[in-house]
Amino acid sequence: EKILLGLAFYGREFNTSGLYHSSTGGDATYGYADIVPLIGNGWVYHWDNVSKVPYLTNTAGNKLITFDDTVSVKLKCEYAVNKKLAGCMIWALGHDKIADNQPLLNTAANVLKIQTGIDGRPNPEIPKTIFFKAFPNPFNTSVKLELNLRREQSVRLQIFDVSGHLVARLLGATVLAKGKYDFFWNAGSHSSGEYIVVAQSQYQRIEKRIVLIK
């Protein structure tokens, strides 16, 4: 119930004479939207009934591309439902965009929407365990970050720039009792702009944008 099944919206190209043969390469990748036009244009579609996935071979017989299509995505999502997994994850959204359609994403959505909970019933709303405030916001040099915990939990409090780089770690995986906690971030050495404060525990993750104006 904690496992996500991976769905690949991309494929990898290998130098090989066939499926299950020795190979090299694998570094070249194609989005699904790039793979579809190859079928019939120097590449032949095959179905591996063992792994339940398609693959392509080139007409020269020395290359192979592994990938998922709508059939294999449907089978994988059905497997996730039947095995009562937590769900599926995708790498990466957008790789299957063909014109105004996303066939792989639509296939996954059609299968997975029939089960929104482990036991087949809709999940109840998860109670919030963290309430979070930042003030003043926007701020000049220093901002106060207020955490209000509704139960004991292990909490991380970190600040990232908009590119995703960690700029400050105010709290690292520390078990805190239920109650209110105040933290201060002095951003005097950082440039003006938006930053993202992330408060995360084993129960919940909250992101809040703060703006530094000097």
Side-chain angles (χ1 to χ4, degrees):
E1 73 276 9
K2 295 183 179 180
I3 294 175
L4 298 175
L5 187 149
L7 304 177
F9 280 20
Y10 68 96
R12 290 188 180 275
E13 180 183 291
F14 296 88
N15 303 310
T16 181
S17 58
L19 193 65
Y20 301 127
H21 293 195
S22 60
S23 65
T24 60
D27 296 329
T29 60
Y30 301 79
Y32 178 74
D34 300 317
I35 293 174
V36 171
L38 298 179
I39 301 173
N41 291 306
W43 294 83
V44 180
Y45 179 98
H46 305 271
W47 178 261
D48 176 18
N49 201 41
V50 177
S51 299
K52 309 296 182 185
V53 289
Y55 63 98
L56 302 183
T57 57
N58 66 344
T59 51
N62 59 5
K63 291 185 182 295
L64 182 149
I65 297 176
T66 63
F67 69 107
D68 271 320
D69 64 2
T70 54
V71 178
S72 61
V73 165
K74 180 176 183 291
L75 290 173
K76 289 181 177 183
C77 290
E78 289 173 346
Y79 179 90
V81 171
N82 292 334
K83 295 297 184 180
K84 297 184 174 14
L85 304 186
C88 294
M89 63 82 64
I90 294 164
W91 188 271
L93 288 170
H95 281 7
D96 70 327
K97 187 171 175 56
I98 302 174
D100 293 326
N101 188 31
Q102 288 189 262
L104 301 187
L105 184 62
N106 292 338
T107 298
N110 288 335
V111 176
L112 295 176
K113 70 181 180 182
I114 65 174
Q115 175 149 330
T116 56
I118 298 302
D119 59 0
R121 296 172 297 177
N123 280 331
E125 183 180 355
I126 299 174
K128 291 183 178 179
T129 63
I130 301 175
F131 290 83
F132 181 40
K133 296 179 182 178
F135 52 90
N137 189 21
F139 67 101
N140 182 351
T141 306
S142 182
V143 61
K144 179 181 178 181
L145 307 172
E146 180 184 294
L147 289 181
N148 195 329
L149 307 182
R150 291 297 177 87
R151 62 178 297 175
E152 179 181 287
Q153 53 200 298
S154 176
V155 183
R156 286 188 176 91
L157 185 61
Q158 299 172 308
I159 300 176
F160 299 84
D161 63 21
V162 291
S163 298
H165 299 115
L166 178 68
V167 298
R169 181 180 288 108
L170 304 182
L171 192 65
T174 303
V175 177
L176 299 177
K178 175 182 176 181
K180 178 182 171 184
Y181 298 86
D182 293 336
F183 299 87
F184 294 87
W185 181 45
N186 189 322
S189 62
H190 297 279
S191 58
S192 297
E194 282 193 347
Y195 294 86
I196 302 168
V197 184
V198 179
Q200 183 170 356
S201 73
Q202 67 267 46
Y203 305 109
Q204 193 175 354
R205 175 187 172 96
I206 296 178
E207 296 184 4
K208 183 174 292 291
R209 288 184 177 266
I210 56 176
V211 180
L212 170 61
I213 300 176
K214 291 185 175 180

